[in-house]
Amino acid sequence: MNEPVVLIRLDDNGRVYRPGETLSGEYRVESLPADEVKAIELSVLWYTEGKGNEDMAVHEFKRLARDDGDWIELQRPSRFSTILPASPLSYDGVILKINWCVRVRVFPRQGKEVLGELPFVLGDVHGAEAVPP
Amino acid sequence: MSRSFRVYQKKRGHRRTGSGKLGRVGEILFFATFLLFGCVGLVVILVALVIPEWRANHEFVETICTVRSKELGQTQGEDGTLYRPEIGIEYAIDGGPHFAKTYDMCGSYSSDRAANQAILAQFDVGRQYPCWYDPLDHDVVVLARGYTWWLWLTFVVPISFLLLGGGGLLYRTMRWGRSAEHLAATARSANSRDGVDSNGSSRNGFPNVPVGTELTNSPGTRLRFRLPISAAGTWVLIGALVACGFWNGIVSVFVVKLGRDFMAGRPQWWLMLFMVPFVVAGIGLIVFFVRQVLIATGIGPTLVEISDHPLRPGRTYRLFVSQAGRLRMNSLVVQLVCDEHVRYRQGTDTRTETRRVHRQEIHGRKDFAIRLGEPWAMECDFSVPPGGMHSFKSENNEVRWSLEVQGDVAGWPDFKRAFPVIVYPDDPTERALA
């Protein structure tokens, strides 16, 4: 049996998003029967990367859980949409990077969580280079 | 097997390479043990000390007894002999005689011999006094009721264990089975309920961008806002004073001792040699402290005023800088800088690192003098680079913008004064309108 996999697609894939614009797309879970899924979480979030400890904040979060009486459909792609915030903008610094992504986390009844992630760029900030102090 | 199973491995910051689930179970067991100790301790104190005293005060039955003997009970404690009053009494219940050696319900020893003897002196052998006996056990009787004050202090230990264990267990249980995103979303909801942004500041429409209200609460005399100087210099001065005092205080104890021995004709050469690097370090700290004092007091105030705030990338602003004092300047540079500042864990230490990612000279001047009462001043335009990163602040990561005034003073320590500014994210629509 194939390993379960999460596929995420953005409607304007590859485009740079501007603050206040709508980010929309869909996700689907393959190789996992719907009745074996306990819950699915969709997040639009940013996280830092680099030398410092990782910080993370969720802009949009949606959880579907069977225990809460939610209907989980895996046959068809599930759509999502959110208006992007004014900040923080994506940033490629020297010891700090800020990355935005759509993350889908699937909790099966048995076995390990399945994670799918699709990065996107918010804003048009130039990359930084180290300069002498 | 390509890789051996490791229960707990090296930690890098928040990232662990061991089993996360096992770690969480370990934490729960740790806190559960604390909770258990707290519960057991509390029960022991209640059963052994508090409830008996409460019963003596509320449930014991009063009767009359005759004192037959009295003596100072003694036992050997860790710090010497301990004492307590032991009074032999005879009392009758339902016609049956009872004998007991007692005073109060606690029956504890103390090191205060005089206080215990004073208690004994209150009772005369052969005289009658009121006493209180336990209706459930007639042999349990006391001559004094009330509560022991130090008894309440003993609650501190089990209650601390209870709070630590219970709090930790509750925290861990609430996080159990929740993803990092779920926890972050819950935290965000709590913050927005409190009207607080995720970076701890109030809302300004820009998450994780500092509001910077403290930067605009002082009007300027030439331009709209006078910027406050960064507090970093003050902290460096305080830090230098504390480090200098602490280090040299300790070193001076040894130096004085060595000096006395030397004067008395008993020089300890090896110890003196050993102390040399410590003394040198102490002198270095004194030099550093004096240098900081000279910078703080010898160089006059630097004023920076700005036409608008917060700043936006790609826009132009008016800047006014003035430098007072009586100085012969080799050079003075005003620049706009941006630093990345991060905090990370390394083992059990928390470290910080700062990296400059933008430096733009706004104004520079060489070889000139500043006279007392005639501050040097300049006014010019400057632009924040288009496409530059906005100010950003999260728990461990930060992007800081500031205007820096750097001076190279002839015959005096160089100085650098920073005036933080906030840069908001660029808005092309607003820029076009502006």
Side-chain angles (χ1 to χ4, degrees), chain B residues 186-328:
Chain B
T186 312
R188 187 194 60 173
S189 307
N191 283 339
S192 41
R193 271 200 307 276
D194 297 342
V196 175
D197 200 354
S198 53
N199 63 351
S201 57
S202 59
R203 286 192 214 103
N204 58 357
F206 294 101
N208 294 92
V209 177
V211 179
T213 43
E214 74 283 3
L215 304 182
T216 53
N217 55 11
S218 175
T221 51
R222 297 284 287 269
L223 298 173
R224 196 170 166 204
F225 301 117
R226 177 169 294 177
L227 296 175
I229 194 166
S230 164
T234 312
W235 286 113
V236 168
L237 187 65
I238 293 169
L241 174 66
V242 171
C244 186
F246 185 73
W247 182 272
N248 287 302
I250 293 172
V251 168
S252 64
V253 172
F254 292 94
V255 170
V256 167
K257 170 82 170 63
L258 287 172
R260 280 186 183 158
D261 288 349
F262 184 82
M263 298 298 279
R266 303 186 304 272
Q268 300 187 52
W269 296 112
W270 283 112
L271 201 53
M272 286 164 84
L273 202 63
F274 178 77
M275 284 302 295
V276 167
F278 294 94
V279 173
V280 169
I283 292 167
L285 280 170
I286 291 169
V287 169
F288 180 72
F289 173 65
V290 170
R291 188 184 155 87
Q292 293 304 315
V293 170
L294 287 177
I295 290 172
T297 58
I299 295 167
T302 309
L303 301 180
V304 173
E305 294 181 7
I306 198 164
S307 59
D308 201 6
H309 194 270
L311 311 180
R312 295 270 196 166
R315 297 208 192 155
T316 303
Y317 300 90
R318 195 84 183 139
L319 177 72
F320 169 77
V321 179
S322 107
Q323 176 62 57
R326 188 182 176 192
L327 308 164
R328 176 77 223 167

Side-chain angles (χ1 to χ4, degrees), chain A residues 55-124:
Chain A
D55 291 326
M56 185 256 269
V58 173
H59 167 64
E60 179 77 25
F61 180 76
K62 192 172 182 188
R63 179 181 163 88
L64 294 172
R66 285 199 194 282
D67 292 348
D68 299 339
D70 295 325
W71 174 254
I72 295 177
E73 170 68 75
L74 296 184
Q75 300 299 317
R76 286 177 298 178
S78 302
R79 288 203 58 78
F80 61 86
S81 171
T82 185
I83 295 171
L84 291 167
S87 62
L89 304 181
S90 299
Y91 176 60
D92 185 11
V94 178
I95 53 171
L96 164 67
K97 296 179 198 316
I98 299 170
N99 302 317
W100 277 91
C101 72
V102 178
R103 190 179 283 173
V104 175
R105 202 183 279 270
V106 182
F107 298 85
R109 288 198 184 280
Q110 287 184 329
K112 290 177 74 175
E113 295 168 12
V114 186
L115 192 77
E117 194 172 294
L118 184 66
F120 66 92
V121 176
L122 175 63
D124 189 18

Side-chain angles (χ1 to χ4, degrees), chain B residues 3 5 9 32 63 133 173 187 202 212 228 292 319 326 355 389 434:
Chain B
R3 201 175 160 187
F5 177 74
Q9 294 144 30
T63 187
Y133 69 88
T173 310
S202 59
Q292 293 304 315
L319 177 72
R326 188 182 176 192
R355 197 66 67 87
M389 180 55 179

Side-chain angles (χ1 to χ4, degrees), chain B residues 67-353:
Chain B
V67 173
R68 295 297 179 201
S69 67
K70 61 177 185 179
E71 60 181 300
L72 201 60
Q74 295 187 14
T75 188
Q76 206 58 39
E78 284 181 7
D79 299 322
T81 310
L82 301 171
Y83 309 94
R84 72 174 183 188
E86 289 179 356
I87 299 161
I89 57 169
E90 183 184 343
Y91 56 105
I93 302 169
D94 300 333
H98 288 264
F99 299 92
K101 247 184 193 179
T102 185
Y103 174 62
D104 60 3
M105 200 63 210
C106 189
S108 60
Y109 288 90
S110 75
S111 57
D112 193 342
R113 184 188 172 103
N116 284 290
Q117 274 184 324
I119 292 171
L120 285 181
Q122 294 169 14
F123 297 91
D124 295 326
V125 176
R127 279 188 67 180
Q128 289 191 323
Y129 296 90
C131 70
W132 293 265
Y133 69 88
D134 188 350
L136 301 176
D137 182 355
H138 293 176
D139 289 332
V140 178
V141 63
V142 292
L143 279 165
R145 297 200 298 179
Y147 291 100
T148 316
W149 67 269
W150 58 261
L151 203 66
W152 305 103
L153 291 178
T154 59
F155 278 101
V156 171
V157 178
I159 285 174
S160 305
F161 274 63
L162 264 176
L163 289 177
L164 189 68
L169 209 57
L170 190 71
Y171 175 75
R172 260 290 142 218
T173 310
M174 282 172 71
R175 294 171 73 94
W176 185 263
R178 289 189 173 199
S179 64
E181 298 86 48
H182 196 172
L183 292 167
T186 312
R188 187 194 60 173
S189 307
N191 283 339
S192 41
R193 271 200 307 276
D194 297 342
V196 175
D197 200 354
S198 53
N199 63 351
S201 57
S202 59
R203 286 192 214 103
N204 58 357
F206 294 101
N208 294 92
V209 177
V211 179
T213 43
E214 74 283 3
L215 304 182
T216 53
N217 55 11
S218 175
T221 51
R222 297 284 287 269
L223 298 173
R224 196 170 166 204
F225 301 117
R226 177 169 294 177
L227 296 175
I229 194 166
S230 164
T234 312
W235 286 113
V236 168
L237 187 65
I238 293 169
L241 174 66
V242 171
C244 186
F246 185 73
W247 182 272
N248 287 302
I250 293 172
V251 168
S252 64
V253 172
F254 292 94
V255 170
V256 167
K257 170 82 170 63
L258 287 172
R260 280 186 183 158
D261 288 349
F262 184 82
M263 298 298 279
R266 303 186 304 272
Q268 300 187 52
W269 296 112
W270 283 112
L271 201 53
M272 286 164 84
L273 202 63
F274 178 77
M275 284 302 295
V276 167
F278 294 94
V279 173
V280 169
I283 292 167
L285 280 170
I286 291 169
V287 169
F288 180 72
F289 173 65
V290 170
R291 188 184 155 87
Q292 293 304 315
V293 170
L294 287 177
I295 290 172
T297 58
I299 295 167
T302 309
L303 301 180
V304 173
E305 294 181 7
I306 198 164
S307 59
D308 201 6
H309 194 270
L311 311 180
R312 295 270 196 166
R315 297 208 192 155
T316 303
Y317 300 90
R318 195 84 183 139
L319 177 72
F320 169 77
V321 179
S322 107
Q323 176 62 57
R326 188 182 176 192
L327 308 164
R328 176 77 223 167
M329 302 296 301
N330 290 330
S331 70
L332 191 136
V333 176
V334 181
Q335 53 189 15
L336 176 68
V337 298
C338 179
D339 295 321
E340 290 174 9
H341 181 81
V342 301
R343 191 168 56 190
Y344 58 97
R345 294 259 298 277
Q346 199 166 56
T348 52
D349 298 335
T350 300
R351 293 167 189 265
T352 59
E353 187 169 326

